[in-house]
Amino acid sequence: SWRCDMKINDVIAQTRALTRGKYDDAQLIKWLSRLDAKIHNEIITQYVDWDGKEFAPYTDGEQELIIPYVYGEVYDYYLKAKICESNGESNGYNAAVQNFSSAYEDFANWYRRTHVHGKSYIRF
C-alpha cells in the first residue's frame, strides 16, 4: 500500500501559519486521526491494494498522512473548519467546510480513478 509524502507536523505548521487557535498539537493530531480513519474506512478499504491493516490513530507528528501532498489542502481546510467550529466562528467554518468538501471530493475522485475497486477484482 502506498503512503503519502506529507507528515502530520507539515500540516500542523501550515495550519498554525494560517489560523489562530488555542489548540495544541495533540488536539490537531486527534482531528487528523479521525479524518484519516474516515478516509481509510470509506475509501482505502474498498480497493484491492489495501494492505488489510486497520487504521491505527496517530500518536505523533512524524507519522505520514494518507492523502498525498498534491491533495494536501484537504487537511488544511479540515483543520481550519475544526478550529473555526470550536471557536464558534460560523462564517469561517462554513467557508472552510465548503472548501474541504470540494478538496476531499477531488482526492476521492483521483483515488477511485487510479485504483482497482475490490468488488470488480476477480481472483481465481
Side-chain angles (χ1 to χ4, degrees), residues 101-119:
S101 295
S102 177
Y104 183 89
E105 197 58 36
D106 287 346
F107 160 72
N109 288 337
W110 166 80
Y111 196 92
R112 291 178 185 118
R113 280 192 317 271
T114 59
H115 294 77
V116 177
H117 195 276
K119 291 187 171 115

Side-chain angles (χ1 to χ4, degrees), residues 1-3 36-37 39-57 66:
S1 175
W2 59 275
R3 295 300 288 179
D36 271 4
I39 293 166
H40 179 268
N41 291 339
E42 293 181 1
I43 299 175
I44 306 298
T45 60
Q46 305 303 308
Y47 292 84
V48 298
D49 60 349
W50 172 46
D51 61 12
K53 295 178 184 173
E54 293 303 315
F55 180 82
I66 289 176

Side-chain angles (χ1 to χ4, degrees), residues 71-88:
Y71 294 100
E73 286 183 334
V74 171
Y75 296 118
D76 299 334
Y77 292 131
Y78 181 76
L79 287 181
K80 184 172 184 180
K82 295 301 285 182
I83 289 169
C84 288
E85 177 184 41
S86 298
N87 289 343

